[in-house]
Structure formats: C-alpha cells, structure tokens
Amino acid sequence: MSQKTITRALISVFYKDGLEPIVHQLAKNNVEFVSTGGTQEFIEKLGYKVTPVEELTGYPSIFGGRVKTLHPAVFGGILYRRDDAGDVKQASEFKIAPIDLVIVDLYPFEETVAKGGSEDDIVEKIDIGGISLIRGAAKNFNDVLIVSSRNQYAEFLELLKNKNSSTEISDRKRFAALAFDVTSHYDSAIFDYFNQEQNIPSFKSSFQKGKTLRYGENPHQKGVYFGDLEGLFDQLNGKELSYNNLVDVDAAVNLVKEFEGETAFVIIKHTNPCGVATGSSVKEAYLKTFQADTISAFGGVLACNEKIDLAAAEEMNKLFFEILIAPDYEPSALELLKTKKNRIILKQKQALSARKQFKSLLNGVIEQDLDLHTDSKADLKTVTKRAPSAQEVSALLFASKVCKHTKSNTIILAVDGQMLSSGVGQTSRVDALKQAIEKAKSFGFDLKNTVMASDAFFPFPDCVEIAHQQGIAAVIQPGGSIKDQDSIDFCDKHYMAMVFTGFRHFKH
C-alpha cells in the first residue's frame, strides 16, 4: 500500500529544539513512543508514556552509551518488509514489533571539530547507532519514514498535520533522499578530518545548502550555488545574485582582504581588478580606485574593507555599479545607496575560511591549496645594484598583492597605494605590459618613477626594456628564469631596481 499510518515511532535526538510540537501531534494521533536517554525524559516530561529501548532489547545502554539501539529488536522493527511473508513470519516468531517512524539526528561531529575539540572529544562525536538507524529507515522507505535532521522538523510537522500521521510513498521516498544527504555529508566530514594526516588521494566535498540560480555563466546554462551564502553576507538591497555576480564577489572579497590594517577599495570586472587603492578614508580610497579605469568601473563589483560612510556613498552613487560589499554601512550611506532598487548591497559578516580550491575538468576534478601567500618585505631579494627605496618597496608590495589576483599573463603598474593600470589574461607578458602602458596613458597617468609587478618571471629582458622606455623605476617578479641575468644586467645599466620574491602567482 502506498499510504501508511504511523503507529509506533522511535525518537532519539541530540537536539531537542523544535521536537515538542511533533511529539504532541503524534500523541494526538495515538502513536506509541520508543526512546532512550535524554529524549525519553523529554517526551515523558511532556506527559506521554514511553517504551524504553532497553525494554525492547533486554540490554542497558553500555560502553559509555556507545551501544544502545544496535539490536535486532530495534533494527528488525525498522527493516522488516511488511509485504514480505517471510519477513512478517520472522517478525512474529521473534516478537519484533514494527517501527513506522524514526526521528534521529547525529552527534555534532563538524561542530566539535570547528570548536577545536580534542581528538577524544571528536572521535566520541562519530555517531554509530544514529547513522545506522537513519540508513536502515531510509532503505526501508516503502514502510518507514525517517526524519534525520532538525532542519526537517517543520516540513515533517506540516505533513503530520495535513495527513493525520499517515504518509504516502512519495513522502517517505523524499525523506529517505534527505536522509542519505545527511549521512553522506556526515561521512565526508569524518573522512576529511582523518585525511588531514593520511593524505589519501580521494576527493570528497559536500555542501548541504544549495540555491538554484537564474542561470549559469550564460542564459542557456543552468547554475546552482552550493554553500552557506547567508552565513557570509546579509543582502541589504537589490536583485538576486547571479552566477557571474558570485564569481566576481569572490574575486573582490579575496582581493580586498589582502589589505588588512589599511583602508582599501577594489573594483572588479569579470574577476579582474580594474581599480585598487588604499587611502586615509573610504572616500579617498574609492576615488583613487575609480581613477584607474573610469570606463570599466561601469557595471562593476565594488568592495571595501571598512564601513561605508556618507561621504564615500555620495561619490559611489554617481556610478552605475552592480554590487557593493563592505563590513558595515552608516545608516545615511545605506539609505542613499538603496535608492537604486536593483543595486545589490552586501554586508560581509565573516571572512572567507577555505584553504583549498577545486574545479571539474577532463571528466574529473583537480584540487589545490589556495594561493594564500602574500609577498612581504621578508620575501624580497634585491638582485640589482640599486636597491629600491622605502617608498618603492611599499609600492612594489602593493602591486604584487594586486598582481596575485589578476588573470595570467599579467602586469600591474602602480604607485604606492594605487593601481594605475593592468594588462591581464594575455598570451605573452610583453602584450600584457603593452596593454597596461596603453591603458595607463589613456587615463592620463605619467608612468615616470612608477613600479611594475609581474605574476611570473621574464624569460627575456624585453619587458624591463619596455618598462625603462616608459620611465618605470622598479620591478617586482618571482625570478627563476635561466635568463634572469639578462634582465638584471639591463636594469643595472639603466639604474632600475628589481627584486625577486621566489613566489609565482599564476592565476588561470
């Protein structure tokens, strides 16, 4: 039969919040309760009779609670097939009563890891009985409904109210699917924890929250975001974020976080920065950022690492842009920025925490560590006769931070605290430099005594030769070419300073 009436429920949960109305609704429909431990006490305090699991099994909870429900009297009641004559006969023979509903959640393994628990605490949060009950009930969805997370309580309660504690096969199959989502995610988290030491070459990644997007990169492509976007941002205004919006937001947030301790502003277009600057105020940082490319900024994604005040908002409001991200907003600034109804305004609540990145290709997946290295003074090795001045060092490190977040091949031209231009995504480094020079000139910048950053080494001296012709005074690059000396010799001959970092920052 497709429709089944719940007559007996096994309830054993770690989190009790939200459980009370479900218990009341089940009791209203004369459902018998089986439970153990704290959940048994919770149901009894609500005034209902409970059959202890120990009464079914003939065993107390043993080994510090590690074994409570692992017994045929429990699992038989869940797993025996009601339409199988052999199963029904055996259930009768061994006095195994049916269990039609299982409400179980899992020990908080991920939460314990996140809080920095000891190994003993973490291991004790690996659920055995609970996950077995969930899998057993989900497997027998023809006869049993499984509620495997408190996140499902509201949906389940609505079902109980609408159907008077009866369920259809479609209901049970849906909750079974939700259950296997819970168990697979749980097992992935446990594997990831143990694999931190073992480095077993197996890829596991699980995100339980998903959001269907309007479309993917293009309208003919489907798109879904998996992750907790609401945990990262509060959206204060605007339309729904698109696939391309999310990609650009990621680029903007990753770049602006490089400037911790400074007031920084970035404008992103198609994941590349078209302007980056620091300043004594948000307004100054924004204006310097906008100055680098007043054309590409149109329709861009803006990000700042400080609270947006009214003075800055008044300047930004003159520009059409898609998105603004900041840690906070003055009320008057927010009121002004919200006058454009489609403008997306995000308040960032927490920093990005990922340390790995991956993408699909060639019918598989590649994974790598995120490029979390930011070039610092300690990395700099002066390879020319002239060492860069203190101001040049500051400008070089600024340019290097921007370069790290720009598509290869890339060249960044900058002064201290301001990107002047970029050459991005070119098939040759010379082309990237020429693009950057042309762009800087088109916006009225004088390149004399500026600095240049490259994401990778120069295989030939042509880039430093072209840079010298434009008056660029100092260069930062990883080094590592077999012809490094050619570039060094040219710089020495023309009184240019050059430093090597030893760190390449390709970005594809």
Side-chain angles (χ1 to χ4, degrees):
M1 290 175 60
S2 172
Q3 189 175 65
K4 301 279 184 178
T5 300
I6 299 170
T7 59
R8 198 160 178 251
L10 169 61
I11 307 177
S12 181
V13 296
F14 188 88
Y15 296 105
K16 314 297 189 296
D17 46 310
L19 183 62
E20 183 176 342
I22 290 174
V23 173
H24 287 314
Q25 187 65 36
L26 289 169
K28 182 179 177 181
N29 291 302
N30 301 312
V31 175
E32 177 188 343
F33 297 113
V34 177
S35 190
T36 185
T39 309
Q40 178 184 337
E41 293 177 12
F42 177 85
I43 297 171
E44 287 174 339
K45 283 181 180 178
L46 294 176
Y48 304 116
K49 181 182 177 183
V50 180
T51 301
V53 165
E54 293 82 355
E55 188 176 306
L56 292 186
T57 65
Y59 282 89
S61 174
I62 57 177
F63 307 129
R66 284 189 167 197
V67 178
K68 289 182 284 191
T69 57
L70 296 167
H71 191 280
V74 175
F75 281 86
I78 294 168
L79 282 163
Y80 92 81
R81 292 159 291 190
R82 279 51 159 182
D83 59 355
D84 184 288
D87 283 10
V88 172
K89 181 180 178 182
Q90 282 191 315
S92 175
E93 180 183 351
F94 293 104
K95 297 181 173 57
I96 295 174
I99 295 172
D100 313 300
L101 168 67
V102 176
I103 303 177
V104 177
D105 60 10
L106 299 172
Y107 292 156
F109 177 85
E110 286 182 282
E111 292 89 336
T112 307
V113 172
K115 289 177 182 176
S118 68
E119 183 172 283
D120 285 346
D121 288 339
I122 290 168
V123 169
E124 281 308 307
K125 292 300 185 292
I126 298 176
D127 207 311
I128 302 301
I131 205 162
S132 300
L133 289 167
I134 291 171
R135 289 179 64 86
K139 178 176 180 176
N140 199 23
F141 63 84
N142 278 319
D143 300 303
V144 181
L145 190 140
I146 172 66
V147 179
S148 53
S149 167
R150 56 181 169 170
N151 296 329
Q152 301 162 19
Y153 284 0
E155 181 180 349
F156 178 61
L157 180 60
E158 192 67 21
L159 186 154
L160 289 178
K161 289 178 177 178
N162 291 338
K163 297 185 178 180
N164 295 317
S165 294
S166 291
T167 65
E168 304 289 339
I169 185 66
S170 58
D171 303 321
R172 299 190 295 275
K173 205 166 187 177
R174 169 169 169 74
F175 278 87
L178 292 171
F180 286 121
D181 177 40
V182 168
T183 59
S184 62
H185 178 81
Y186 194 76
D187 283 338
S188 292
I190 295 169
F191 170 78
D192 287 343
Y193 171 75
F194 281 95
N195 204 39
Q196 291 176 99
E197 292 183 4
Q198 304 305 320
N199 292 315
I200 298 167
S202 178
F203 180 78
K204 303 273 192 304
S205 188
S206 176
F207 297 91
Q208 285 191 293
K209 289 190 174 183
K211 179 180 178 64
T212 300
L213 305 173
R214 295 197 302 273
Y215 49 81
E217 201 162 8
N218 298 293
H220 63 277
Q221 295 170 270
K222 292 181 179 179
V224 183
Y225 170 80
F226 295 102
D228 185 10
L229 202 60
E230 289 74 20
L232 276 176
F233 304 106
D234 284 333
Q235 183 166 343
L236 307 179
N237 191 65
K239 60 186 178 181
E240 189 175 283
L241 285 157
S242 71
Y243 180 100
N244 292 329
N245 288 156
L246 291 170
V247 173
D248 283 338
V249 166
D250 180 71
V253 170
N254 273 292
L255 175 52
V256 81
K257 78 174 183 179
E258 294 281 358
F259 300 94
E260 188 175 349
E262 302 176 88
T263 298
F265 209 100
V266 307
I267 301 177
I268 296 290
K269 199 74 172 287
H270 295 293
T271 75
N272 286 306
C274 51
V276 183
T278 59
S280 59
S281 66
V282 175
K283 177 181 176 180
E284 181 189 0
Y286 167 72
L287 289 174
K288 288 167 66 179
T289 301
F290 179 63
Q291 186 182 21
D293 189 341
T294 58
I295 296 174
S296 296
F298 183 87
V301 172
L302 284 55
C304 184
N305 59 0
E306 296 286 347
K307 180 189 283 189
I308 304 297
D309 57 25
L310 180 59
E314 285 174 339
E315 293 296 333
M316 284 181 252
N317 201 48
K318 299 172 185 177
L319 173 71
F320 168 76
F321 61 87
E322 290 272 356
I323 303 170
L324 174 61
I325 310 142
D328 206 355
Y329 301 83
E330 287 185 356
S332 56
L334 183 59
E335 183 180 359
L336 174 63
L337 292 166
K338 289 172 70 174
T339 55
K340 303 289 195 299
K341 67 176 184 178
N342 287 330
R343 178 184 284 162
I344 298 169
I345 301 176
L346 300 177
K347 178 179 177 180
Q348 187 173 354
K349 297 186 287 187
Q350 57 180 273
L352 301 180
S353 59
R355 304 189 68 83
K356 298 278 188 181
Q357 64 181 166
F358 56 88
K359 63 180 177 181
S360 61
L361 53 74
L362 299 174
N363 295 334
V365 172
I366 54 173
E367 180 187 63
Q368 67 171 352
D369 297 334
L370 279 168
D371 184 0
L372 298 175
H373 178 82
T374 300
D375 296 332
S376 67
K377 286 183 181 179
D379 297 317
L380 304 185
K381 178 184 177 183
T382 302
V383 294
T384 50
K385 292 176 182 177
R386 182 173 85 80
S389 67
Q391 187 173 14
E392 285 174 332
V393 167
S394 182
L396 288 167
L397 291 174
F398 173 90
S400 178
K401 289 176 181 178
V402 180
C403 198
K404 170 184 165 184
H405 293 270
T406 308
K407 291 290 180 70
S408 301
N409 288 310
T410 185
I411 293 289
I412 298 296
L413 303 181
V415 292
D416 188 11
Q418 184 182 25
M419 182 186 105
L420 304 182
S421 66
S422 62
V424 304
Q426 299 302 301
T427 52
S428 91
R429 205 158 300 282
V430 170
D431 285 345
L433 176 55
K434 288 179 178 178
Q435 182 190 60
I437 291 168
E438 182 182 348
K439 195 168 186 179
K441 288 183 175 181
S442 72
F443 289 101
F445 291 111
D446 182 357
L447 294 177
K448 188 176 181 180
N449 295 323
T450 60
V451 304
M452 172 174 76
S454 175
D455 60 333
F457 64 62
F458 300 125
F460 304 102
D462 44 11
C463 281
V464 291
E465 292 169 2
I466 296 169
H468 170 67
Q469 292 168 9
Q470 301 300 321
I472 293 167
V475 180
I476 185 170
Q477 58 138 318
S481 169
I482 59 173
K483 292 189 176 183
D484 276 344
Q485 194 61 47
D486 292 348
S487 294
I488 295 169
D489 289 344
F490 182 89
C491 287
D492 283 339
K493 185 177 179 180
H494 296 87
Y495 200 62
M496 294 174 70
M498 184 159 63
V499 294
F500 288 178
T501 64
F503 289 89
R504 189 180 73 186
H505 294 291
F506 271 166
K507 188 170 186 285
H508 296 112

